[in-house]
Amino acid sequence: MRTGAVIVAAGSGDRLGAGVPKAFVRAAGLPLVTWSVRAFEDARDVTAIVIVCPPGQEREMSAAIGTHGMVHAIVPGGSSRQRSVAAGIAALPHDVGAILVHDAARPLITPGLVGRLVSRLRLHDAIIAAAPVADTLKRADAQGNVDATVDRAGLWGAQTPQVFRAHVIRSVFATADDAELDSATDCAGMAERRGIGVAMLDPGAPNMKVTTQADLRLVEVLLGSGRIA
Ligand code: C5P
């Protein structure tokens, strides 16, 4: 299925403290965002990529990623993640049958994972990468002490990519108001609220989000070890 990929890369990355937007930070020799561009270019189904970047940094983004024929557009992001996703979806070609949304902050994505997700759209309107929670979960009180232990049975951590039939995700965003675009933290949640079934696929391999310097060091090791060749 012809698939358009939106890479959201407009976050500031304040928690990383690198002094530049997170997508530009280099890991194993490449800007974080470029690892995702490469994975999509090598994925069987992806036909167009839109990169959503910090407003005013379109030129820097273009220079950072270099020449990639499949990059259809580089567009400025919004004040929230979901506003950035909306800008990316609006810039995709209209002929795609599937739309995939991915965080630039997850550079361990592989072409194989993209293919597995897209192929399952035959059975589902929406499917996301996600993994069962492995840690015991605690709810904290205002002092940061344990208030309660949360039963982790059935709890999964949502990741990206998140893939949708194109008409489904377009209609989700067409009916979203400002409050939802400001508060939602992923696309699947917006779909769920409209009664759309969302399937989950465990990548079975690390697919972590880079948030801190420690995360960055870890993905450098994994990327540098030739995990993605
Ligand atoms: O902040 P967080 O790690 O949840 O961001 C997830 C992804 O969303 C990152 O790749 C970030 O660049 C992107 N984002 C965005 N526009 C925003 C906020 C975050 O594209 N306004």
Side-chain angles (χ1 to χ4, degrees):
M1 191 177 323
R2 292 175 71 81
T3 302
V6 172
I7 304 176
V8 281
S12 62
D14 289 341
R15 285 168 292 180
L16 193 58
V20 292
K22 185 159 56 181
F24 294 116
V25 174
R26 296 180 90 82
L30 291 174
L32 275 183
V33 63
T34 306
W35 289 101
S36 298
V37 174
R38 282 192 170 190
F40 288 131
E41 283 189 325
D42 291 344
R44 207 177 40 237
D45 304 277
V46 176
T47 52
I49 301 169
V50 168
I51 301 174
V52 187
C53 76
Q57 306 221 20
E58 293 86 339
R59 278 227 196 117
E60 287 83 348
M61 178 59 77
S62 178
I65 62 171
T67 306
H68 291 275
M70 212 180 273
V71 174
H72 176 74
I74 297 175
V75 297
S79 54
S80 68
R81 179 188 187 275
Q82 293 312 93
R83 287 183 189 276
S84 293
V85 173
I89 290 175
L92 280 172
H94 291 289
D95 65 349
V96 295
I99 292 179
L100 182 157
V101 178
H102 182 62
D103 291 338
R106 291 187 192 271
L108 299 178
I109 180 177
T110 63
L113 175 59
V114 174
R116 279 193 289 151
L117 287 164
V118 173
S119 69
R120 282 170 205 219
L121 275 188
R122 281 197 299 272
L123 304 173
H124 307 282
D125 282 336
I127 177 156
I128 67 172
V133 170
D135 295 322
T136 294
L137 297 177
K138 306 291 184 189
R139 178 172 293 116
D141 64 17
Q143 287 72 45
N145 299 317
V146 173
D147 176 44
T149 298
V150 179
D151 182 5
R152 73 177 176 210
L155 292 184
W156 289 51
Q159 306 173 357
T160 67
Q162 301 195 343
V163 195
F164 305 85
R165 293 190 182 158
H167 69 92
V168 169
I169 193 69
R170 287 193 201 277
S171 80
V172 165
F173 275 88
T175 54
D177 61 15
D178 284 347
E180 188 173 21
L181 291 173
D182 285 337
S183 62
T185 53
D186 76 345
C187 301
M190 293 171 64
E192 291 151 35
R193 238 167 271 133
R194 288 160 177 79
I196 296 161
V198 178
M200 296 192 285
L201 176 72
D202 184 351
N207 183 30
M208 54 185 288
K209 183 162 79 169
V210 173
T211 304
T212 65
Q213 283 289 337
D215 299 335
L216 185 62
R217 285 195 292 275
L218 191 51
V219 300
E220 284 223 77
V221 170
L222 291 165
L223 292 168
S225 68
R227 190 187 154 282
I228 299 178

